[in-house]
Amino acid sequence: MVRRTKEDAMETRSKLLDAAEALFSEKGVTHTSMMHVAEKAGVTRGAIYHHFENKMDLIESLMGRVKLPIDEMREQISEASEFGILEEIKARSKEFLARVQNEPQVQSLASILLHKCEYIDEVNPIKLRHVSGRNECIDDVENLFQKAIDAGEIAPTIEARMAVIGLFSLVDGLIYNWLLAPDFFPLVEYGNTAIDTYVKGLPR
């Protein structure tokens, strides 16, 4: 009986997160209330507040169940080989695009963060987490670019910081525009070519 109760609770929690993901993607974060999520999931007001203290708690749980590509990229970069550094940077950037294009939950979360989340006081912690993760990843990739410079893969005339900001602007811009109209261009195909072209264009 206890096991069944726990399974039921986990099932209800999952339904609520699925409902929140759908509503945030459709209506935006600020225009979605806790009751909207409860109604979408087919549960009572008491049920949603049993699982989540408030909307911020709900959003944090939604983000927590999907490892953001930028977080995973940081972990992978920390294990990067010192050889073929530019190839490693390109591979991780391309994997980032592939996850956004091919994994529905990752795609939904990216859409919410980039298009459906007004960064006002109510959801400011989301912005802080997003910016913090981005900045840490930029620092990590900057270190890789510096290693590439030191190893002679890139000319010393280029600044590592400049190189990483250019790459991140390219990748973020691709994702942002693709999410506006996914049928307009293939993210991975065009994105991979754009990344290759950018890295190839760095002075040697």
Side-chain angles (χ1 to χ4, degrees), residues 25-54:
S25 296
E26 176 187 348
K27 301 172 62 174
V29 174
T30 57
H31 296 292
T32 299
S33 69
M34 293 286 278
M35 280 309 302
H36 290 148
V37 176
E39 290 170 2
K40 177 78 172 178
V43 304
T44 64
R45 175 187 175 88
I48 190 170
Y49 282 102
H50 172 74
H51 289 277
F52 306 103
E53 182 178 349
N54 49 41

Side-chain angles (χ1 to χ4, degrees), residues 12-133:
T12 298
R13 180 183 177 85
S14 181
K15 285 182 179 179
L16 286 165
L17 290 173
D18 288 343
E21 180 182 296
L23 288 172
F24 291 157
S25 296
E26 176 187 348
K27 301 172 62 174
V29 174
T30 57
H31 296 292
T32 299
S33 69
M34 293 286 278
M35 280 309 302
H36 290 148
V37 176
E39 290 170 2
K40 177 78 172 178
V43 304
T44 64
R45 175 187 175 88
I48 190 170
Y49 282 102
H50 172 74
H51 289 277
F52 306 103
E53 182 178 349
N54 49 41
K55 186 161 65 172
M56 195 63 243
D57 184 26
L58 176 61
I59 296 168
E60 287 287 350
S61 298
L62 181 62
M63 295 175 71
R65 78 169 179 170
V66 178
K67 182 176 289 186
L68 295 175
I70 203 163
D71 292 334
E72 187 160 304
M73 187 178 182
R74 287 199 67 221
E75 293 177 6
Q76 293 166 336
I77 284 171
S78 69
E79 302 170 358
S81 169
E82 294 185 6
F83 303 97
I85 301 167
L86 289 181
E87 290 302 316
E88 186 72 27
I89 292 172
K90 289 195 299 182
R92 298 312 176 195
S93 300
K94 292 174 182 180
E95 187 172 348
F96 190 113
L97 296 181
R99 290 201 63 207
V100 173
Q101 177 177 288
N102 300 325
E103 298 182 28
Q105 286 189 339
V106 174
Q107 186 180 135
S108 292
L109 189 54
S111 180
I112 291 167
L113 291 173
L114 293 177
H115 292 293
K116 299 293 185 177
C117 187
E118 295 177 300
Y119 287 140
I120 56 177
D121 289 344
E122 180 185 17
V123 293
N124 197 50
I126 301 176
K127 176 184 178 181
L128 294 178
R129 176 179 172 182
H130 189 190
V131 171
S132 175

Side-chain angles (χ1 to χ4, degrees), residues 113-165:
L113 291 173
L114 293 177
H115 292 293
K116 299 293 185 177
C117 187
E118 295 177 300
Y119 287 140
I120 56 177
D121 289 344
E122 180 185 17
V123 293
N124 197 50
I126 301 176
K127 176 184 178 181
L128 294 178
R129 176 179 172 182
H130 189 190
V131 171
S132 175
R134 182 207 64 186
N135 290 350
E136 290 173 357
C137 193
I138 284 176
D139 289 341
D140 290 341
V141 180
E142 181 181 356
N143 289 335
L144 286 184
F145 270 116
Q146 187 59 55
K147 287 183 178 180
I149 293 169
D150 295 341
E153 292 189 34
I154 305 175
T157 54
I158 192 73
E159 294 182 10
R161 189 71 169 183
M162 183 188 303
V164 68
I165 292 299

